[in-house]
Amino acid sequence: MGYQGQQRSVPPQGDLDDQETLVSEQENKGKSCQSAAVFNVVNSIIGSGIIGLPYSMKQAGFPLGILLLFWVSYITDFSLVLLIKGGALSGTDTYQSLVNRTFGFTGYLLLSILQFLYPFIAMISYNIIAGDTLSKVFQRIPGVDPENLFIGRHFIIVLSTISCTLPLSLYRDIAKLGKISFISTILTTLILGIVITRVVSLSPLIPKTEDAWVFAKPNAIQAVGVMSFALICHHNCFLVYGSLEEPTVPKWSRVVHMSILVSVLICVLFATCGYLTFTGFTQGDLFENYCRSDDLVTFGRFCYGITVILTYPIECLVTREVIANVFFGGNLSSVFHIVITLVIITVATLVSLLIDCLGIVLELNGALCAAPLIFIIPSACYLKLSEEPRTHLDKIMSCVLLPVGAVVMVFGFVMAITNPQDCTHGQEMFYCFTDNFSLTNTSDSYFQLTTQYSIVNASILQ
């Protein structure tokens, strides 16, 4: 069945419609051009997950990790287009209504749970990152007491929520977040430049672990979970698609291809430079590897904290849409719109105040939520709806992705529970305490570092 030039079909009146959720009838004129849609998709992808990509290289083995990252990127691209094709085949324009039409209420309920949990947990991770990174930034201000309550992670999480994420999350139209997404993308580019700079200046000063260049490691499936978490944006693809002027499958395909191309370039550079700097010492939150005295990285922490704050509203839009569709038939009055937004953000904030270990959040969310949303559900819907011959490329790929997604989900979850990463939150790495260690003086004694390295606890190398 051809899709060229096909317009987005209008679902029956009874179908769940995210356009009625995100945009009221009076505001339903809000549309975005393709460039704004690209920034929204890239911004949705480049969130908290990117910070764990260097750690995924450590889990999988660097050569295999790079190959897996390209593979997951290709699957993400393929499944994003496949979802919209499924919507066109079924006459639906939301992820939930597509699954409801394909697998009935049971499938719809399962998807709604996944589609709510993924962005909600992502919101929690964004708060954790904002609190951790910005608190370290404020500690570097001259004359500021590091123990000051007003620069602590808890106060920063509450302050950023009240002043930034809550007001932005009250928007009903995702198209209005296009400029914010552009700003977030620019900040991410600055962060990438800092990571690249430090791989040049810092990498020669840190000893490489013995297994730094092993091709493959047993934890590769966990690495796929982290990569899936970093690249997923399926939970809001229908929202971005619906925001396009005259949305069609070919136009959406161009948006997806450009978005994934930009995203995978950023992800590969970030993963490579981060891992090459610290090899076997790489942690789940890359910024935990850098020394607090590093002023350039302090600026990078500030940029990243702002980036995740600006990404937060897109995730909140999705969680609110799921609740609106499940409990309110897709329509929210102005009062309920505000109340539900306040409840979602309040609960996410409270949870993030109690949790400070980012790594396990990334792994579990990747295995339990991202893998089904990327690998399993889009493929299952397309296989049931499409009348293409079995030899059609889309059907062949869908048949491959189903079992692969099941393996990633099951084994990724089991390995994350049975083999959790060490959480060294807030601890300085051993090389930060080396006498006369300077990030700008490449003549520092390598012998001093290797001596320190020889007495490091073996658990760091896990």
Side-chain angles (χ1 to χ4, degrees), residues 299-414:
F299 175 69
R301 290 188 175 104
F302 174 77
C303 291
Y304 195 67
I306 300 301
T307 296
V308 297
I309 288 174
L310 296 180
T311 306
Y312 186 105
I314 294 181
E315 308 299 344
C316 186
L317 283 171
V318 180
T319 59
R320 186 174 62 229
E321 181 238 351
V322 172
I323 292 177
N325 284 341
V326 172
F327 298 104
F328 298 93
N331 294 290
L332 282 179
S333 65
S334 297
V335 174
F336 276 105
H337 168 83
I338 295 174
V339 170
I340 290 175
T341 302
L342 286 172
V343 170
I344 292 172
I345 291 180
T346 300
V347 175
T349 302
L350 291 175
V351 174
S352 61
L353 292 175
L354 300 174
I355 301 175
D356 62 4
C357 192
L358 180 65
I360 189 66
V361 175
L362 301 183
E363 289 186 2
L364 289 178
N365 208 11
L368 290 180
C369 300
L373 290 171
I374 292 179
F375 293 90
I376 299 175
I377 298 177
S379 302
C381 289
Y382 184 79
L383 287 173
K384 188 168 183 179
L385 293 170
S386 177
E387 297 180 357
E388 299 284 1
R390 294 181 179 178
T391 55
H392 192 274
L393 178 60
D394 287 346
K395 279 204 167 180
I396 294 175
M397 283 292 299
S398 298
C399 290
V400 172
L401 290 184
L402 274 173
V404 170
V407 170
V408 172
M409 182 176 66
V410 174
F411 285 93
F413 173 75
V414 171

Side-chain angles (χ1 to χ4, degrees), residues 210-223:
E210 294 181 359
D211 61 347
W213 315 119
V214 172
F215 180 82
K217 296 181 182 178
N219 295 335
I221 293 181
Q222 282 178 273

Side-chain angles (χ1 to χ4, degrees), residues 9 11-12 15 85-93 97-99 101-102 385:
S9 56
D15 275 352
K85 287 182 178 180
L89 288 170
S90 62
T92 58
D93 63 354
S97 57
L98 166 62
V99 175
R101 180 69 60 84
T102 308
L385 293 170

Side-chain angles (χ1 to χ4, degrees), residues 447-458:
F447 174 75
Q448 288 180 316
L449 284 172
T450 52
T451 302
Q452 288 270 7
Y453 167 65
S454 65
I455 61 175
V456 171
N457 192 291

Side-chain angles (χ1 to χ4, degrees), residues 259-277:
S259 302
I260 295 299
L261 181 62
V262 173
S263 299
V264 74
L265 175 63
I266 294 173
C267 288
V268 169
L269 284 174
F270 198 95
T272 300
C273 293
Y275 179 78
L276 291 181
T277 306

